[in-house]
């Protein structure tokens, strides 16, 4: 079967089916639509799966047919399709480019071997002309379009340099191929430079390919953010029945039911039910929040324990999540493109070279030289001035830098980040999961009546079945001691308070202070002071007791990462400011900040506030790096000059960031900054070698040695110098790998 | 006017009502799902022309249900 006849498949919710006959009707209706090859209703799931030929129909048409039969088939918005289409186009573009790069290298490598070894065979000039022409036109065609555009705008960039140098070398070589004896007859020497054209195109294309790959992955941040937003919601109608509704049909005031394990689709207020909700993607708060009637819930957050009925307040783009998506989009779009070092160099270099060439031409004529000599000199200047060393300078250093980063668990997706990181003035650090472990741990325990092994068994038993992070932390804590596990099956949960079970002597419970009150537990003054002190230190408190007696108090907090202080110290030593940004409360934030000596603390920040903070610091002229791990950091990441994500955090942050620290260790940050500085230094050194070659090559090409020594761009000298400068640049880049 | 249908539940009834809403007022039709024939009867005040009855019958068939005049 041809590829474009491929059948698409999809499953869609259908409303209104109440019995097997309804299901049959829906199935039959869908199956009769032209272009639908298969239709099957899953009555239990209230869904219809169809296979269709995209050429002759689409789900929208099937949906209309089903609507005519009296049922409602829900087809999701086209937005997803549009994004998928865009992604597909980007993919095609990327693959096209990759093919070009491979083709360019496949031709360039043999070409340069032949050229540099000085091998000749009959017709070898023509063969090389054809090969380099293929590389230039097929692989590098777009350089000439863009190079010309920029030259006309008087803003020469890398493309202009590539276009100019390759065209001149090519035309010069072509002339020499057609009239091999022309310069000889004038008593001059010349050579072929086809491989230089091909080599420049191949190298620069490789650099562009790396850039495209980086850009593509930032787009996927928005896609995964949108993945947090459910497309459908279970609407609770006034007559008590439910139906699956498209989000776009929901209005403020409608009610929806959110099952445990589902993401909440809207911003709204809890109408009925009691559950804990994981809001970490919005606030960065690692603990689930208890939600009861009248609590506010946000779209994209995860309902964990019990069903909730939510009254809709905001839908779609108006929700907090919708605003985050919009901000990430606009931050990515508005960020000024970083001007690459090569572009900066080209802007100065191109006019100078062209100027020198003109000066050479005029000088020869003025000095009474022959016209042919003047032309040869002028062209030689152009040819020799655009060596591949200049094209090699940046890409090789960056390739080696990225490779070295990867060996040390620092994944650099965007080469510009490697250039920027060296110049950072301010690092904004997210708290939860970046500076801290992101998981609460038991830090202190106070035993009211002394510790008993039996208590450990009971505590472990009570907390074992719970998925609450505090319970998990206590379980982990208990497991480091020796105790004999006991088996009791009837453990009761008090929603939002804690758990309890009846064991031999009495009712054992573990939970919040509210739980203690419910058990009429008396807390003496020592324990009270301990609890208050722990709370004041920004810790969470869990109580354990039996009947009305308090047995133990656990203090838990999110621990600082081992290497957090070390990393912050390094930054301060390098005169880089450090700011702590967090969605958490001020108290917790300040305790953490104090532990690692951070003076600047911004607490209770919503995602947009983090972005505004970074934007305002950037407006002050500071170059800001943001390092974070959560969905709530993605907007700030997109806004920052350099964005770094923790590989232990959410995919969305990683997609939004240019750099990912795979193992989440903060000490990789100093390494990354050092690496960036070394890379920049290597690039500068490379440019120096490339220019050194020019400083030697250009005067010779211009014919400065001709009057005294009779040397006129000896091809031997030219190619030796070219090879030497390329080798210098490449080996200098490789040296980066072994630097400490 | 009475028809025999294969409607089995209120879902079918709602679907049938929607499928004929362009031709006639769906409220003018009464369903008896307890009867053996699952009947659908006209209870409107205006007399029903044969032409409209045919259209109703067709629309329901197009919607995928079985229907025959009693």
């Amino acid at each position: 079967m041809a590829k474009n006849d491929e059948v698409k498949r999809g499953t869609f919710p259908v409303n209104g089916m109440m019995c097997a006959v309804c299901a049959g009707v829906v199935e039959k209706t869908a199956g009769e639509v032209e272009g639908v090859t298969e239709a099957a209703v899953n009555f239990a799931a209230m869904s219809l799966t169809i296979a269709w030929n995209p050429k002759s129909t689409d789900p929208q048409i099937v949906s209309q047919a089903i609507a005519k039969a009296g049922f409602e088939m829900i087809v999701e918005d086209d937005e997803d399709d549009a994004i998928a289409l865009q992604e597909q186009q980007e993919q095609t573009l990327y693959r096209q480019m990759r093919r070009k790069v491979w083709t360019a290298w496949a031709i360039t490598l043999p070409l340069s071997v032949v050229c540099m070894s000085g091998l000749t065979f009959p017709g070898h000039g023509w063969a090389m002309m054809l090969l380099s022409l293929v590389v230039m036109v097929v692989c590098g065609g777009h350089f000439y379009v863009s190079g010309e555009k920029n030259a006309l705008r008087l803003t020469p960039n890398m493309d202009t340099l590539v276009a100019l140098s390759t065209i001149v070398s090519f035309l010069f070589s072509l002339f020499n191929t057609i009239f091999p004896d022309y310069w000889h007859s004038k008593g001059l020497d010349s050579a072929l430079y086809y491989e230089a054209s091909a080599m420049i195109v191949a190298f620069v294309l490789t650099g562009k390919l790396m850039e495209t790959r980086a850009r593509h992955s930032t787009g996927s941040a928005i896609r995964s953010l949108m993945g947090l937003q459910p497309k459908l919601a279970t609407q609770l109608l006034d007559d008590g029945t439910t139906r699956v509704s498209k989000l776009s049909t929901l209005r403020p005031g409608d009610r929806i039911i959110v099952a445990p394990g589902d993401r909440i689709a809207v911003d709204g207020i809890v109408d009925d039910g009691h559950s804990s909700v994981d809001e970490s993607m919005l606030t960065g708060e690692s603990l689930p929040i208890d939600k009861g009637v009248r609590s506010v819930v946000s779209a994209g957050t995860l309902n964990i324990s019990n069903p909730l009925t939510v009254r809709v307040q905001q839908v779609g783009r108006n929700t907090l999540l919708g605003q985050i998506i919009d901000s990430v989009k606009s931050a990515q779009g508005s960020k000024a493109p970083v001007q690459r070092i090569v572009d900066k160099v080209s802007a100065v270099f191109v006019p100078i070279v062209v100027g020198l060439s003109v000066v050479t031409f005029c000088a020869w004529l003025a000095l009474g030289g022959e016209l042919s000599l003047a032309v040869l000199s002028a062209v030689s200047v152009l040819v020799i001035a655009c060596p591949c060393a200049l094209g090699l300078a940046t890409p090789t250093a960056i390739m080696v830098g990225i490779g070295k980063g990867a060996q040390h668990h620092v994944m650099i997706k965007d080469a510009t980040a490697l250039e920027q990181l060296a110049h950072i003035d301010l690092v904004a650090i997210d708290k939860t999961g970046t500076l801290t472990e992101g998981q609460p741990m038991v830090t202190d325990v106070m035993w009211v009546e002394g510790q008993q092994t039996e208590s450990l068994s009971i505590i472990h038993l009570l907390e074992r079945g719970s998925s609450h992070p505090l319970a998990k932390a206590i379980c982990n804590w208990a497991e480091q001691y020796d105790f004999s596990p006991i088996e009791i099956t009837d453990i009761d949960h008090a929603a939002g308070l804690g758990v309890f079970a009846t064991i031999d002597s009495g009712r054992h419970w573990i939970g919040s202070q509210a739980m203690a009150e419910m058990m009429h537990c008396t807390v003496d003054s020592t324990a009270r002071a301990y609890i208050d002190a722990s709370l004041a230190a920004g810790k969470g408190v869990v109580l354990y007791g039996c009947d009305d007696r308090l047995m133990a108090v656990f203090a838990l907090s999110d621990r600082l990462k081992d290497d957090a202080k070390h990393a912050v110290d390094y930054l301060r030593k390098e005169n880089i400011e450090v700011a702590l940004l967090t969605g958490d409360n001020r108290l917790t934030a300040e305790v953490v900040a104090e532990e690692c000596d951070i003076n600047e603390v911004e607490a209770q920040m919503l995602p947009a506030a983090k972005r505004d903070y970074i934007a305002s610091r950037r407006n002050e002229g500071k170059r800001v790096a943001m390092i974070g791990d959560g969905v709530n950091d993605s907007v700030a990441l997109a806004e920052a000059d350099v964005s770094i994500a923790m590989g232990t955090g959410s995919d969305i942050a990683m997609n939004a960031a240019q750099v990912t620290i795979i193992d989440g260790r903060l000490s990789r940050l100093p390494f990354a900054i050092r690496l960036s500085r070394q890379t920049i230094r290597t690039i500068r050194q490379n440019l120096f070698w490339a220019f050194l070659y020019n400083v030697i090559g250009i005067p010779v090409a211009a014919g400065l040695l001709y009057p005294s020594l009779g040397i006129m761009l000896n091809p031997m000298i030219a190619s030796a110098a070219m090879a030497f400068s390329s080798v210098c640049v490449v080996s200098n880049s490789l040296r980066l790998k072994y630097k400490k | 006017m009475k028809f025999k249908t294969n409607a089995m539940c209120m879902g079918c009834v709602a679907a049938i009502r929607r499928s004929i809403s362009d031709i006639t007022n769906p409220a003018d039709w009464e369903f008896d799902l307890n009867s053996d024939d699952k009947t659908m009867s006209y209870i409107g005040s205006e007399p029903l022309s044969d032409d409209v009855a045919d259209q109703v019958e067709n629309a329901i068939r197009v919607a995928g249900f079985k229907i025959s005049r009693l």
Side-chain angles (χ1 to χ4, degrees):
Chain A
M1 195 188 266
K3 205 175 175 192
N4 49 3
D5 284 332
E6 236 172 277
V7 171
K8 284 177 94 174
R9 284 177 172 280
T11 301
F12 306 89
V14 176
N15 280 319
M17 295 188 294
M18 286 169 84
C19 66
V21 175
C22 303
V25 167
V26 169
E27 208 167 84
K28 192 162 156 250
T29 312
E32 279 168 358
V33 174
E34 202 191 315
V36 173
T37 52
E38 259 179 77
V41 166
N42 179 339
F43 184 54
M46 300 288 261
S47 68
L48 168 70
T49 303
I50 51 172
W52 72 96
N53 182 342
K55 269 185 176 169
S56 42
T57 190
D58 68 58
Q60 217 68 49
I61 296 174
V62 179
S63 168
Q64 280 160 18
I66 286 177
K68 243 184 224 141
F71 299 92
E72 185 188 22
M73 165 176 152
I74 294 174
V75 182
E76 285 169 28
D77 288 345
D78 295 323
E79 201 172 1
D80 279 356
D81 275 353
I83 289 172
L85 192 71
Q86 193 191 345
E87 188 177 354
Q88 211 179 358
Q89 281 167 347
E90 273 173 23
Q91 274 287 336
T92 322
L93 206 70
Y94 178 71
R95 270 201 295 270
Q96 237 171 34
M97 219 161 153
R98 200 172 50 188
R99 219 170 26 240
K100 278 184 186 172
V101 170
W102 283 115
T103 316
W105 280 113
I107 297 175
T108 305
L109 283 180
L111 194 65
S112 50
V113 167
V114 169
C115 274
M116 289 183 177
S117 63
L119 196 74
T120 52
F121 48 87
H124 111 286
W126 290 104
M128 298 213 294
M129 189 276 281
L130 271 179
L131 287 177
S132 63
L133 192 65
V134 169
V135 175
M136 286 168 66
V137 174
V138 176
C139 307
H142 58 279
F143 288 131
Y144 305 103
V145 180
S146 140
E148 188 205 348
K149 231 188 298 175
N150 281 302
L152 290 180
R153 264 191 263 136
L154 294 179
T155 51
N157 63 350
M158 186 69 187
D159 289 350
T160 323
L161 189 62
V162 170
L164 185 70
S165 60
T166 53
I167 287 178
V168 170
S169 330
F170 181 81
L171 289 180
F172 184 62
S173 307
L174 183 64
F175 181 83
N176 291 345
T177 313
I178 299 173
F179 308 106
D181 300 322
Y182 178 82
W183 303 109
H184 276 297
S185 68
K186 304 267 176 194
L188 300 166
D189 231 351
S190 71
L192 302 179
Y193 298 102
Y194 288 124
E195 93 282 7
S197 306
M199 192 92 117
I200 293 171
V201 168
F203 264 111
V204 177
L205 261 182
T206 310
K208 296 250 167 178
L209 182 72
M210 285 159 58
E211 242 177 75
T212 310
R213 199 175 48 196
R215 223 186 10 244
H216 173 70
S217 58
T218 46
S220 55
I222 295 171
R223 280 192 298 280
S224 24
L225 265 178
M226 294 178 76
L228 282 182
Q229 169 79 71
K231 301 281 176 295
L232 303 170
T234 310
Q235 190 179 356
L236 179 62
L237 302 175
D238 290 338
D239 57 6
T241 58
T242 59
R243 49 175 266 164
V244 179
S245 295
K246 252 193 290 191
L247 219 50
S248 51
T249 64
L250 288 179
R251 295 283 165 266
D254 288 348
R255 284 182 302 165
I256 62 163
I257 293 178
V258 186
D262 278 357
R263 291 197 180 276
I264 298 169
V266 299
D267 280 4
I269 289 180
V270 176
D271 219 35
D272 192 23
H274 193 116
S275 178
S276 26
V277 173
D278 179 358
E279 293 195 325
S280 59
M281 61 287 303
L282 288 182
T283 59
E285 168 68 71
S286 44
L287 300 180
I289 313 288
D290 282 327
K291 298 284 183 187
V293 175
R294 299 187 67 81
S295 298
V296 175
V297 291
S298 303
T301 57
L302 188 66
N303 180 18
I304 296 179
S305 42
N306 301 306
L308 285 175
T309 306
V310 174
R311 193 168 284 281
V312 179
Q313 284 188 315
Q314 299 287 359
V315 187
R317 299 182 66 157
N318 296 326
T319 62
L320 220 50
L321 179 68
Q323 285 165 14
I324 293 182
I325 296 173
D326 278 354
S327 317
V328 172
K329 271 187 200 160
S330 66
Q332 279 182 344
S334 70
K335 196 148 72 170
V338 181
Q339 203 192 9
R340 311 293 306 270
I341 292 181
V342 180
D343 280 348
K344 279 189 225 167
V345 171
S346 307
V348 183
F349 191 70
V350 172
I352 290 182
V353 169
V354 173
L356 274 177
S357 156
V358 172
V359 168
T360 306
F361 181 78
C362 296
W364 274 111
L365 284 186
L367 292 172
E370 274 182 68
L371 180 66
S372 60
L373 198 60
V375 172
L376 177 65
S377 309
V379 171
S380 298
V381 167
L382 281 182
V383 172
I384 213 81
C386 301
C388 26
L390 199 63
L392 288 171
T394 317
T396 51
I398 285 185
M399 274 184 241
V400 174
I402 288 177
K404 190 178 176 186
Q407 280 174 353
H408 291 81
H409 305 278
V410 177
M411 193 177 79
I412 299 157
K413 285 189 305 192
D414 190 346
T416 52
L418 197 58
E419 292 182 10
Q420 290 273 302
L421 204 52
H423 310 296
I424 284 305
D425 302 311
L426 170 77
V427 175
I429 305 184
D430 165 60
K431 184 180 77 74
T432 318
T434 307
L435 209 53
T436 66
E437 297 284 355
Q439 294 289 337
M441 293 188 202
V442 175
T443 54
D444 308 282
V445 188
M446 189 192 91
W447 292 96
V448 178
E449 298 175 0
Q451 180 175 355
Q452 292 153 355
T453 7
E454 187 199 81
S455 308
L456 277 178
S457 312
I458 294 169
I459 290 167
H460 186 256
L461 172 80
L462 284 170
E463 295 288 58
R464 199 176 48 191
S466 173
S467 62
H468 197 285
L470 289 181
K472 274 190 195 153
I474 292 177
C475 237
N476 289 338
W477 165 82
E479 274 162 14
Q480 57 184 327
Y481 299 99
D482 270 342
F483 59 87
S484 46
I486 46 174
E487 289 299 329
I488 289 267
T489 42
D490 51 342
I491 294 172
D492 287 313
H493 293 255
L497 299 175
V499 287
F500 55 90
T502 308
I503 304 161
D504 313 332
S505 46
R507 284 227 291 181
H508 289 260
W509 52 268
I510 188 159
S512 63
Q513 294 192 73
M515 180 86 183
E517 273 167 38
M518 198 177 82
M519 289 295 178
H520 306 291
C521 169
T522 46
V523 180
D524 64 22
S525 58
T526 333
R528 170 59 43 205
Y530 184 80
I531 291 171
D532 289 343
S534 300
L535 290 175
K539 292 178 182 176
V541 171
V542 173
L543 310 182
Y544 162 59
C546 177
D547 294 325
D548 60 352
R549 281 178 301 135
L550 180 68
M551 312 275 279
V553 180
F554 295 91
L556 298 100
S557 74
D558 187 4
R559 236 183 21 202
L560 212 59
K561 282 187 186 167
D562 297 338
D563 52 359
K565 186 154 168 35
H566 167 75
V568 173
D569 284 346
Y570 171 85
L571 293 175
R572 197 160 325 98
K573 215 167 64 212
E574 296 290 323
N575 279 325
I576 298 171
E577 275 183 71
V578 182
L580 181 70
L581 308 186
T582 178
D584 250 0
N585 62 62
R586 176 151 287 276
L587 192 66
T588 321
E590 270 170 0
V591 170
V592 170
E594 202 173 318
E595 268 182 81
C596 41
D597 289 334
I598 299 176
N599 300 324
E600 200 166 339
V601 183
E602 301 282 337
Q604 278 170 323
M605 290 184 111
L606 286 177
K610 288 190 181 183
R611 177 201 58 201
D612 293 345
Y613 175 83
I614 286 177
S616 75
R617 297 308 295 261
R618 288 186 72 208
N619 281 339
E620 290 171 20
K622 297 216 185 285
R623 272 160 297 195
V624 183
M626 168 77 199
I627 172 162
D629 74 322
V631 176
N632 59 322
D633 300 318
S634 54
V635 184
L637 285 171
E639 178 71 33
D641 289 299
V642 179
S643 44
I644 306 165
M646 288 296 181
T648 45
S650 72
D651 290 353
I652 290 162
M654 275 183 268
N655 286 331
Q658 298 161 304
V659 180
T660 303
I661 297 177
I662 306 280
D663 59 0
R665 286 174 61 85
L666 211 56
S667 51
R668 307 285 181 205
L669 181 62
F671 165 78
I673 293 175
R674 273 198 301 273
L675 179 66
S676 165
R677 289 182 178 164
Q678 285 166 357
T679 309
I680 296 281
R681 206 175 309 135
T682 305
I683 291 175
R684 295 223 172 103
Q685 287 162 353
N686 287 349
L687 289 174
F688 169 79
W689 285 113
F691 277 111
L692 188 70
Y693 160 83
N694 276 319
V695 169
I696 300 168
I698 290 180
V700 178
L704 273 188
L705 299 181
Y706 188 70
S708 52
L709 299 171
I711 297 174
M712 191 67 218
L713 187 69
N714 185 327
M716 282 306 289
I717 297 179
S719 59
M722 212 181 243
F724 176 70
S725 69
S726 300
V727 169
C728 273
V729 163
V730 171
S731 51
N732 188 45
S733 294
L734 286 175
R735 219 162 51 87
L736 177 61
K737 205 167 164 180
Y738 304 105
K739 276 190 192 159
K740 283 241 163 110
Chain B
M1 184 145 326
K2 237 180 187 182
F3 295 90
K4 173 185 172 162
T5 74
N6 68 337
M8 275 177 67
C9 63
M10 289 316 288
C12 302
V13 171
I16 290 173
R17 282 191 202 278
R18 275 195 291 270
S19 69
I20 58 171
S21 60
D22 289 343
I23 307 158
T24 165
N25 179 6
D28 287 348
W29 296 85
E30 190 184 57
F31 289 81
D32 182 4
L33 293 181
N34 291 325
S35 64
D36 288 346
D37 285 342
K38 313 288 180 198
T39 54
M40 164 180 167
S41 342
Y42 182 72
I43 50 163
S45 44
E46 305 281 314
L48 188 73
S49 71
D50 263 4
D51 193 29
V52 173
D54 285 347
Q55 281 183 40
V56 165
E57 208 174 331
N58 276 332
I60 292 171
R61 261 195 210 111
V62 168
F65 291 94
K66 288 182 185 148
I67 182 161
S68 53
R69 213 178 281 212
L70 286 174

